[in-house]
Amino acid sequence: GAGAVIIRYTPQTAANVTYTFKGSGSWTCPTGVSSVDYLVVAGGGSGGGGNYGGGGGAGGVLTGTGFAVTPGTTYTITVGAGGVGAYQAPGNGLGHGQNGSNSVFSSVTAIGGGGGGGDASSTGIAGYSGGSGGGGQGNGSGAPSGRHRGDSRRRLQPHRRRQPARPHALLQGPGEPRL
């Protein structure tokens, strides 16, 4: 599915203010606000095609507090779309799913989920890497999380920002984000 961006701050004279972006847009930092808390979720990858296609990977999730912002500055918000369905592999049947798109707030970028592996032949097509790698085809292999596409000789580089262990724990109650 699609990603989201949530920004929360406390103005000098009011209670917490929360903006939730389910689509791309912009946010202008109000006077008196110098930092925000954020939650940035990228779009998930789509599943692979065929009877044995692998599941798409989840979009990356980044969260932080005390992120410095400048009053009067307009920040672009990009909300990543979920990956579109599996494509038809030329002469081979159904291919892999497509990657989800990245979500961005200022300099914070969550990576889209990897598309799932496809049921294109007896050996299958491996899933793509992403925020969470896409699952492998029935007798193929999945892809790692991160920025490299399944090259086992390359080590994945860790994100500079902390990834929450359980993204579902970010919701306190019915629809209330916990940042």
Side-chain angles (χ1 to χ4, degrees):
V5 174
I6 299 174
I7 301 169
R8 183 178 71 184
Y9 61 91
T10 304
Q12 294 176 344
T13 59
N16 286 341
V17 176
T18 303
Y19 284 95
T20 302
F21 292 86
K22 295 181 181 176
S24 297
S26 63
W27 173 75
T28 301
C29 181
T31 301
V33 174
S34 59
S35 68
V36 298
D37 301 338
Y38 64 84
L39 171 69
V40 180
V41 182
S46 67
N51 292 332
Y52 302 104
V61 176
L62 298 173
T63 184
T65 59
F67 184 80
V69 291
T70 304
T73 300
T74 299
Y75 295 89
T76 300
I77 308 292
T78 303
V79 175
V84 296
Y87 74 97
Q88 180 77 28
N92 258 348
L94 294 170
H96 58 77
Q98 302 300 301
N99 291 349
S101 299
N102 297 347
S103 288
V104 181
F105 164 60
S106 186
S107 62
V108 178
T109 301
I111 305 298
D119 184 15
S121 68
S122 61
T123 59
I125 296 176
Y128 283 144
S129 65
S132 171
Q137 178 263 1
N139 44 346
S141 62
S145 297
R147 298 176 192 253
H148 303 295
R149 285 193 160 79
D151 183 348
S152 61
R153 296 168 298 183
R154 296 181 77 176
R155 294 182 55 174
L156 298 177
Q157 300 299 313
H159 279 283
R160 292 184 181 167
R161 290 179 180 79
R162 185 177 157 274
Q163 298 279 345
R166 290 178 274 145
H168 64 277
L170 296 172
L171 295 180
Q172 281 182 322
E176 293 183 22
R178 182 179 359 150
L179 296 172

